[in-house]
Amino acid sequence: MNVFFDENYWGCRRERTDKTPGNELRIEKEFAWSGRSWRIPAVYICREGIVMDFCARIPAKEIEIFFRKWKPDAEEAGLSEEEQERRERDNPLSGDVCADLWIDGEKADRWSGCGVSFVPPELLGEDEARAGDDIEAQMLEAYGCSRTDGWIFKRISFSFPQGVQPPLCTLKLILKKASVYEPGPHFRTSVTDGEKCIEFFHPVTRTRHTLTVQKLEQSMIPKAELSEIRSETMKLLKAPRNFLSMFYTVEPKLPPCELQIYDCAQSDSPVLAEKKGAASIQIIGGADGPTSVFFAFKTRDSREDWDSVHSSVHYKPVEDVEWRMRFRIKSEEKKELEIIL
């Protein structure tokens, strides 16, 4: 198996003349972390740095229980964004790896990473099993992983610190769990509301907080600030422009990004304006739903101690919004490993 620095699994399969594959070192480092059995089967020494492969075994029973609760194909399930987040949190195959690496005592920069997962074919329907990527089969064979269990495969590239080059002696690896997102309560606002207070509890600390809606402001994206559209077809684009801005405070305050607030509704679909002589209006999008449109815009100045969030964008003025809270939960769980090369 050829492995190149800063290339994902698919890029490593291309015929390459501009790069030399890394030299494989089988280390077969096994460890338990975050309730899983993990292995680092091999590292690859490249000219630019080190590529490290990880794999974690996921018992088939856990995957079966997950599929009983959630459909295997999330796109076909018709889930809301909040349901998709819950599904991802429950998914035993979605574990992410955050890693710091020291090479011979010097900290390396993380360059890039990728991952795939394997589900035993007997847990999938015939169509899903047939559509599986053979990258998973390649990883199973390369590292001798059983096909009766599920697997998470991760690959991370680390660049050499300045002054460090092969031959190498030791690696020190610190693994950290990625942040997870916990759904929070919903609440509604209307342009007819005065000051409004919403009490909620932090899901980890159980601290009682109060969100106070200080101001609601109906706004429109100025035409001048719509993204420039170049092609003749796309010049016909008609896009929603109305949104509602909510300015609020939270007491006690929460660290930045720990509390996130979203509109529960989706933005209206952009459309192609009807041409002269045309019989219909075309919606931009496809079988998987309308394409999202994002705009960069500025709102009126508000007090510096107020936070703000904006609703989805619609053709008609927005008067009522159902908002949902989401909490970013950082894990302090770490695992330190030393590898002698």
Side-chain angles (χ1 to χ4, degrees):
M1 179 170 62
N2 286 337
V3 174
F4 299 94
F5 186 81
D6 193 29
E7 285 282 6
N8 61 27
Y9 300 117
W10 298 268
C12 286
R13 297 174 65 182
R14 297 200 308 263
E15 292 292 335
R16 305 300 299 258
T17 58
D18 58 328
K19 286 186 177 182
T20 302
N23 294 321
E24 181 185 66
L25 289 180
R26 285 285 179 151
I27 59 173
E28 293 297 345
K29 182 75 171 179
E30 297 185 3
F31 58 97
W33 177 53
S34 192
R36 301 288 183 210
S37 298
W38 285 82
R39 289 168 59 207
I40 304 174
V43 298
Y44 298 84
I45 311 301
C46 305
R47 183 177 59 84
E48 305 91 340
I50 288 179
V51 180
M52 186 173 289
D53 272 356
F54 300 81
C55 53
R57 185 181 70 85
I58 312 299
K61 190 65 177 178
E62 287 189 31
I63 303 173
E64 183 180 0
I65 293 171
F66 170 71
F67 284 165
R68 285 180 191 159
K69 182 176 180 180
W70 303 99
K71 288 186 177 180
D73 191 332
E75 291 185 1
E76 292 183 359
L79 303 178
S80 67
E81 288 187 0
E82 189 170 15
E83 288 171 327
Q84 291 177 44
E85 291 168 4
R86 290 181 184 276
R87 182 188 188 279
E88 185 66 14
R89 178 117 187 234
D90 288 347
N91 189 352
L93 296 164
S94 66
D96 200 4
V97 176
C98 297
D100 290 325
L101 183 69
W102 282 259
I103 304 174
D104 287 347
E106 300 293 331
K107 188 175 182 180
D109 291 327
R110 175 175 172 169
W111 196 260
S112 65
C114 62
V116 294
S117 59
F118 170 78
V119 176
E122 57 269 20
L123 296 181
L124 295 171
E126 184 177 346
D127 291 341
E128 288 88 352
R130 189 184 301 118
D133 197 312
D134 60 357
I135 289 291
E136 293 93 327
Q138 182 184 35
M139 301 301 291
L140 291 169
E141 182 178 357
Y143 296 137
C145 299
S146 165
R147 298 181 67 89
T148 59
D149 285 311
W151 292 89
I152 297 172
F153 295 103
K154 300 288 182 181
R155 176 171 290 174
I156 306 177
S157 294
F158 299 92
S159 59
F160 284 129
Q162 187 173 2
V164 175
Q165 289 292 325
L168 309 174
C169 297
T170 61
L171 305 176
K172 185 179 81 169
L173 183 70
I174 295 182
L175 299 173
K176 297 172 285 186
K177 290 189 69 174
S179 297
V180 297
Y181 295 92
E182 179 74 30
H186 292 210
F187 64 97
R188 301 193 70 93
T189 58
S190 172
V191 291
T192 60
D193 292 340
E195 184 179 286
K196 186 172 186 176
C197 295
I198 297 95
E199 290 191 344
F200 63 93
F201 291 88
H202 191 282
V204 175
T205 66
R206 303 309 302 167
T207 301
R208 183 198 298 267
H209 296 267
T210 301
L211 182 150
T212 303
V213 179
Q214 302 289 352
K215 183 172 70 168
L216 293 167
E217 185 177 277
Q218 289 178 310
S219 304
M220 289 186 72
I221 303 169
K223 288 185 177 179
E225 295 197 19
L226 295 177
S227 301
E228 182 180 355
I229 301 171
R230 300 181 183 279
S231 72
E232 287 299 318
T233 302
M234 293 298 286
K235 280 180 181 177
L236 300 172
L237 178 68
K238 178 184 177 183
R241 296 172 53 207
N242 293 276
F243 64 96
L244 185 71
S245 296
M246 180 177 69
F247 300 90
Y248 65 95
T249 56
V250 175
E251 293 293 340
K253 293 184 180 295
L254 287 168
C257 298
E258 189 168 320
L259 172 64
Q260 302 167 1
I261 299 176
Y262 298 93
D263 187 346
C264 292
Q266 296 292 313
S267 293
D268 288 343
S269 303
V271 300
L272 287 176
E274 186 175 357
K275 293 183 182 179
K276 290 182 180 180
S280 64
I281 294 177
Q282 220 177 341
I283 295 178
I284 297 177
D288 294 331
T291 302
S292 296
V293 175
F294 299 93
F295 300 104
F297 54 83
K298 296 178 181 179
T299 54
R300 300 175 194 171
D301 292 337
S302 62
R303 289 176 42 176
E304 291 185 1
D305 58 342
W306 288 358
D307 292 313
S308 64
V309 65
H310 310 292
S311 75
S312 300
V313 189
H314 299 277
Y315 289 108
K316 295 181 179 180
V318 181
E319 297 183 350
D320 300 277
V321 174
E322 180 181 356
W323 306 94
R324 66 183 180 93
M325 298 183 186
R326 186 176 80 160
F327 299 91
R328 179 173 177 261
I329 310 298
K330 293 180 66 176
S331 174
E332 301 299 325
E333 185 179 352
K334 296 182 180 180
K335 180 76 173 183
E336 183 172 330
L337 301 168
E338 186 172 2
I339 301 168
I340 308 298
L341 300 178

